[in-house]
Structures are given as C-alpha cells and as structure tokens.
Amino acid sequence: MEQENMDPEELFTEMKSSRAGLSEQEAQERLASFGKNELTEKKKTTALKVFAGQFVNLIVWVLAAAAVISLAIGETIDFGVIMFTIAVVIILGFVQEYRAEKAMEALKSIVQSETTVLRDKRLRKILTIDVVPGDILVLETGDKVPADAFVYEAVALKIDESSLTGESVPVGKTENETIFAGTQIVHGKCKALVTSTGMNTKIGQIAKLIQTKDEDTPLQVKITKLSLTLAFLAVLASAITFAIGIYIGAPFADMLLISLALAVAAVPEGLPLTLTITLAYGMKKMAGHNAIIRKMLAVETLGSTTIICTDKTGTLTRNEMTVEKLFVSETEIDVTGSGYIPKGDFLKRGNIVDVNKDGTTLNLLRGITLCNNSAIEKKGDKWEVVGDPTEIALTVAAAKVDLWKDELDKDYEMTEEIVFTSERKIMTTIHKTGTGFISFTKGAPEFVLPQCNIIEKNGERVPLTENDREIILAKNLDFASSAYRVLAVTCKEESEVTDTGDFEKDMIFLGLVAMIDPPRDEAKEAVEMCRKAGIKVIMITGDNQETAKAIGRNIGLFDGKNDCGVYEDEKLRRIVEDCAVTGDELEELNDEEFDILVENINVYARTMPEQKLRIVNALQKKGHIVAMTGDGVNDAPALKKADIGIAMGIKGTDVAKESSVMILQDDNFASIVEAVRGGRTIYNNIEKFITYLISRNFMLIILIMAGISLLGFDLIPLLALQILFINMFNEIMPAVSLGLDPATPGIMSMPPRDPNDNFLKKRNLFLVITLAFVMGIASYLVFEISDPVADTTMARTLTFATVVSMILFIPLSFRSLDKSVFSIGIFNNKLMIAGVTATFFATMSVMYIPKLNDAFGLIALSPSEWIMPIVVAFVTFLFAEGLKLATAASKK
C-alpha cells in the first residue's frame, strides 16, 4: 500500500551524509513501503465490462421479455428469432466498443521505461516504476525526469516543463532547485535526489483531480430517454391490448401472442446496432483526419460545439520558430523562407544581401550559430532538428547563407558556456580561435544592450552612442509590437580567459534578430469556417500579449474594432481595450465581472494552465458547449471539465490524453474544425435513422391496432415473427446506410445545434406520426382489400410485401428531413442503394423458399400480385416528400 513520501529534510540529510546512493536492500524496502513509481489509473475498461455494458439497454430487455413470452406460449420459432436478434445486437455492439477501447490503449504515448540511478556506489539502469524516494538520479540531455527530485549537481541544465506549465521555453535549473516528474532535460546534465514518487509527485497530485466519475454525454442522456419512451410505449400498447382482449373473453394464449406482436412492433430492434455502427464509422473517419475520439458516445457533442478554446503554439501556428528580420548597421533586413528548412534569401531594400561582403551581418549569423545548442541534419528528403525552437530558428537562418553549425564548431572550439536563466535572460558561449578567444552573447535586448559600449556597423567598430541605443530600442519595440520575439546579439574578443564573467561586460553590439512562429496556412480558413458555422474561436496562450494579438489578427480572430464590446465600467474598458486579456488581468476580475466579459474575449495571453478551468466554467455557465485544447498536466482539469476536451497528440502528456475526449494527432486547429464537421454529420445521421426507425415502428403499431380494432382479434395483419423479421432485417440496412450518409451540403454554414434539442423535436415528431399513420393505414387498406376473411395467409403476405416494398423508397426520403431527396441527389449514397436492393431480395427468401415461408406464415406471390404493394409504397414515398416540403415551408 502506498504511503506518504519521506520528509524532504530527512532525505536531504541522507543525501549529504552519503552520495553512494541507496543499497539494493534499502531500495526494495522503500519500494514495498512507498509503492511503485506510477500514476494510479481508474480501473481500466475490461472486455467483460464492455460485454456487460451491452445489457444495460432497455431495448434489449424488452426483446428479452418478448422472448420469454414466446417460449411460455410455445412459439419456439419466435423465441429463436428473438434470441438471435438479441445476440446480434449484443455481439456487434461489443465488438465495436471493445475495438475502440483497444485502439485507445495503442494510442498511449510510450514513456521512458528505464532510468539511470546511483545504487551501491554504481550507476545502474532500473525500471522507472522502481524508482523510490532517496534514489539519486543521474540525468542527461534527452532524459525524462521520472520523479520529483532535488538537484544537487547541475551543469548547464535546462528543463522543458511545458507538460506542467504550458510554457514552451525551457527553464534553466541550478543546484538547490526542484525538477518534476514528466518534464524533460533538453540541455545539460544533473544529479538529483528523489523526494516524491507516483501519486505524491506534482503530476500525481493533478492526476487525482481528474479521476472522477465520467458524466453522461448528451447523446447518452438522449438515447436513454428515447429508449425509456419507446419501452414505455411498447409496454403500454401491449398492456392495453391484453387487458381489452381478456375483458371481452379472448383466449389467454392468443392475447399473449397479440401483445407480443405489439411489443415487438413498438421496439426498433436495430437502434442499438445502427447507433454503434454509425458512431464507430464516424470515429474511424475522424481518425483519418487526425482526430482520435476516445469515447464513442461523445462524438455527437462535437456537433453542438459553440466555442473552441485553443492553444496558439503548434495548433494555430506551425510551432517552427522562423527568423524573418535582422537589424544590422541601422538597416532592416528581411529573411525569406519559413520553418525548419534552410532555404531562403536575405533581402535588403528589395535586393539580395551578399553576406560575404557584409562583415557585420556575417559576424552576427556566425554568432547566433555558435551561441547555440541546437542541431539540424538532413536525412533523406527531410530535415531533422534537435533543440529549443528558438535556437533551431537561429541555426536554420545562418544555414541559409551556408554557415553550418557543425563546421563552425570545428573552427571555433567552445571552451565555456554561461547558461541562460530566467533571471539573467542572457546566454554566452566562449570559443577558442587561432589568436585567442571570442565570445558570442544572445539575449533580451533590454538586458544585453546595457552591457555594450561598442557597436559594429558595416564591418567597423565604433563607440555605442545614446542615439544608437535609442534607435536600437525603438526597432526592438517595433519588432515586438509586430509579434516578433527579439534577441540582441553581441561579441567580444580576448587574448586569454581570466574571468568568464568579463565576457558579458563591455561587449560589441552586432544587431537584433526578430523571429516568429508563423500561423499555419490553413488556420485562417479554419477560423473563418468556424465563424460561418456560428462557432466562436478563443485563443489561450502563455505567450506575450503583443504576439498573441498579432497572431489573432492575422488569422481573423478579431480586427480590433470594438470586437470585445463596449462597457461603462472603467475597469472593464481598460482590461478589454486591446481585445486581449492577460492572466494578471484575469486575476483582477471577480466572477461577476468576468461573467460580463467572457463571451466577448477572443484572446487570452500570459495565462497559466490553471486559468483555463475558470474560463471553461464561465463559458459553460453562459450555456455554451465548449471544446478545449491542452497538452500539459495542468491542463487536465480543464480538459476534463470541458464538454469536449482535446489533447495534443504530438506534445500532449499521458495525463492530458486520459482527461480528454479527443486526441489531435497533428496538433492542428484545422483538424478540430474537421472533427466538428464530422460531429455535426454524425448527429444529423443519427437523427435521420432514428426518425426513420420510429416511423416504421409506429406504422406497425398503427397497422396492428387498426386490424384488431376493425376486424377483431382473430385477424391480425402481421404475425409476431413477421414483425420481428421486418424490424430486424428490413430496417437495419436502410438505417445503417442513413447512419453513414455523406455530410449534408452546407452543414458548416448552419448555426450550432441547440444541445437541448431532442431527436424527436416537434417537427420531427409531427413527421414521424403523420408518415407512420399514412403508411400504417395504407398497409391496413391492402390487408382489408385482400379479403383476410377468405384467405388470411394471402392477405398477410400482401401486407408483408407492402411493408417490405416501402424500404425501396421511404429510406431515400429520410436522407434529408428538410429538403426533397431530389435536391440532394438520389444516387450519391451508394451504400443505401446497394443495401436496400440487397435487403429487398434477401427478404424474398422468406417468401419463396419452401418450408421457410411456411415457418413465417407466408406464400409466394406472382409478379402481378406485386403491383399493388409496390404502387402503395411509391405513393407513400411521394407523400413523405410533399410532407417534408410543406413543413419546411411553414417553418420559414
């Protein structure tokens, strides 16, 4: 059983007394005491649990009751067919859901399985889950930190803590600082004493917050409500009929049979199966667009999304920092090309710069390459990069003029590195040359410039004047206001190294480098598509305010013209005046004030991941259906709370993925929009096949009730077995083809669906009841005209043929509940044409195969006897088309 971890002071005392590491015996004792170094997950969904879940379905239970009744009255064939139907529904539902669960397990990112520790005075590689408090970690560049630990030796250590903080810039760490489980070393090395493991780490504490019971999705609620309604109707119709029959003296066994027929008629046996297939197909199709859906029933929620809250870096942007401008010798130079491909030109006033003749530009580019720990390498047709995105951008920029880092490193051997820290905001490297030593420094201009007293212009070095400083700072401000990240670059030459700190004093200013993470090419189009679809896009980033605003304008989030509303309150006006709210400004707002602003804010900058949860809560309070992206551990509570939590597949942590409904494999905002399109399509298709199935089932109820009411209990238009066959085998293929129908044209130009809408909203219910009544009465008239008194079997066969013929036409009408099928195309759902045709001919087997037709109480019809059923079916189809157009016109 896991215990609380040891007191950090006790561990620190232990570390000071011995740096030999734990003995193997001590490690095993602590492993037994503290438990494995792993996050405790909620109970996984087992195959047995998925299988058992198939029985939590009212439709299955109604069918089971019908099977029991059949067996009780001696109808063994009916019993066998019903049990076969139940088995098909359960088995196919199990297969689809279990495959979805297994697919998710395969998507989990592979974590580092081994960690280097010091034990018994020796370096050993052990399983990461066996790390215990008191272990001494020995970590290098590329290693993932396996547990929370206290650093006591560090060399140029930089940690990528984006999984926890969301901040993409690596953090410098020194001795006496803490490193956290789940973060990664991107530079340097260290030794650290483990203080916390498993659920007691920072990542574990956050994991505890998200291990709550999942709430039912809107689709689950609606399907449950619909199933309850249908089950109630089935039981009610059966009970009323049975009571009336017994009251007037009908035989008990006959009344059970009639009641069974009504129960079977009221239940759409194909609903669970069709729903499962529709959702599974939709999930597969979304996966083809890089959106992996973890929870099948949550797919539909995407269709009602009203707000998408998205990260900036890597989602709206390419996550490939690119140098776009230099400022050298008081001249602004444009750099063409983008991303991590070293192709492009240096342009000055429209002309290409010859850096071989421009000594200062050449010196600056050499400096940003040497004061750098990144690497680029071409493998085949692709460029592979390693390192911090900012440093990669610098290396790529220099490579565009044939200055390659690996070659420069040979000529300028690095002897010292003074690491960048969040306090210093400067990095310096010292290199040995043929005549002595040269240093290159890069960092924030406001920190670098005060340490300079010389400036190089056009290859000449002259004193740095106050006028020079003003020009440089003005250009820095100009770059920053255009969303660029700006670095100042300097150098210094010495004959020998006495004190490395001297290299960061009295430096020679070379110039400014401006870079940006460019927006994805498809981001602007995707944002515009959201706008047309009535979906608001909100950018939430940890980046600075100016960068966030510039990217927001570039992709069309706002244009700065009162996009954030007009307010009388001075405080609210101040906070939203630039249409971007920072994390600090968000903290200024109380909940009431934030509720006033929240629907009008498009950009949040300098935010902490924990603030995402507050944003989600505020938007949901306003009635919005919120999709939220995230990749870090601290994003997990917000992902869990959002209606659609979207984890990044490339840079996302396991905890973020476990908390999400959807995983974005390419971290691309456009893929989210495509998933919303898919969600809308799925909901529309579910609405289509549900209205189709229920109209067919209501039709059968009306048919049987009409027969019983007008002709008595001896003349039932269809037998229970015939009804069951129609429900299961004549409705499944048309329903499935409706579930897999292509997207309705213009679906992303429609406003988001009201999440409170039911499948059988007023208009749909009117269509269902009216069409069911017309089909039911038409089928009854066929039964009546066929003289059931003289030949009941023939009358039932013609009625059966009429109901079966309706599958040739009626499913086409349900391909759109608002428009005529002729306007959207009859033949563009090939699955429907093939399925309906195959189902029709398969149905003929129970009518024309000897003994089989006897079992179903049918006889073989001649070609001429098919005319009436087909004509009646076609007329009802025309009526359905007219009814849709009439209700659509009245709706307008």
Side-chain angles (χ1 to χ4, degrees), residues 229-289:
T229 302
L230 296 176
F232 173 77
L233 289 174
V235 172
L236 181 64
S238 299
I240 291 174
T241 304
F242 182 79
I244 293 173
I246 295 299
Y247 178 76
I248 65 174
F252 183 84
D254 289 346
M255 285 314 305
L256 275 180
L257 183 62
I258 293 170
S259 299
L260 171 63
L262 280 174
V264 171
V267 176
E269 290 84 353
L271 177 57
L273 177 61
T274 306
L275 179 64
T276 301
I277 292 174
T278 300
L279 292 173
Y281 176 78
M283 290 172 66
K284 183 178 180 181
K285 196 168 182 180
M286 287 183 186
H289 291 284

Side-chain angles (χ1 to χ4, degrees), residues 366 369-370 376 401-413:
R366 184 186 298 113
T369 309
L370 290 169
I376 62 172
V401 292
D402 213 24
L403 284 175
W404 299 93
K405 181 170 175 55
D406 53 351
E407 296 177 2
L408 288 173
D409 284 339
K410 295 175 184 178
D411 297 333
Y412 295 82
E413 178 188 353

Side-chain angles (χ1 to χ4, degrees), residues 115-131:
T115 297
T116 301
V117 298
L118 190 64
R119 283 189 182 173
D120 292 322
K121 299 183 180 180
R122 293 187 301 113
L123 290 178
R124 295 188 54 194
K125 278 192 175 293
I126 66 171
L127 293 176
T128 300
I129 60 173
D130 290 337
V131 171

Side-chain angles (χ1 to χ4, degrees), residues 66 69 78 238 255-267 269 700-701 704 708 716 718-721 723-724 727:
I69 294 172
D78 290 31
S238 299
M255 285 314 305
L256 275 180
L257 183 62
I258 293 170
S259 299
L260 171 63
L262 280 174
V264 171
V267 176
E269 290 84 353
L700 293 173
I701 293 175
I704 292 174
I708 292 173
I716 304 174
L718 292 174
L719 299 175
L721 188 58
I723 293 171
L724 186 62
N727 276 16

Side-chain angles (χ1 to χ4, degrees), residues 579-610:
C579 289
V581 174
T582 65
D584 289 340
E585 290 172 336
L586 186 56
E587 290 301 308
E588 288 184 50
L589 298 169
N590 60 38
D591 289 342
E592 291 74 19
E593 291 170 330
F594 188 41
D595 285 345
I596 295 172
L597 298 179
V598 66
E599 290 185 291
N600 295 321
I601 299 171
N602 294 80
V603 175
Y604 293 88
R606 289 297 187 202
T607 55
M608 296 298 292
E610 305 88 75

Side-chain angles (χ1 to χ4, degrees), residues 361-421:
T361 303
L362 186 64
N363 205 15
L364 179 143
L365 294 172
R366 184 186 298 113
I368 63 176
T369 309
L370 290 169
C371 187
N372 195 315
N373 291 301
S374 69
I376 62 172
E377 181 181 1
K378 191 170 187 179
K379 292 188 176 180
D381 295 331
K382 295 184 178 180
W383 287 91
E384 293 191 1
V385 298
V386 178
D388 173 68
T390 297
E391 294 198 331
I392 295 171
L394 299 175
T395 303
V396 169
K400 290 178 180 179
V401 292
D402 213 24
L403 284 175
W404 299 93
K405 181 170 175 55
D406 53 351
E407 296 177 2
L408 288 173
D409 284 339
K410 295 175 184 178
D411 297 333
Y412 295 82
E413 178 188 353
M414 188 175 75
T415 59
E416 297 282 349
E417 176 181 339
I418 309 175
V419 298
F420 173 94
T421 67

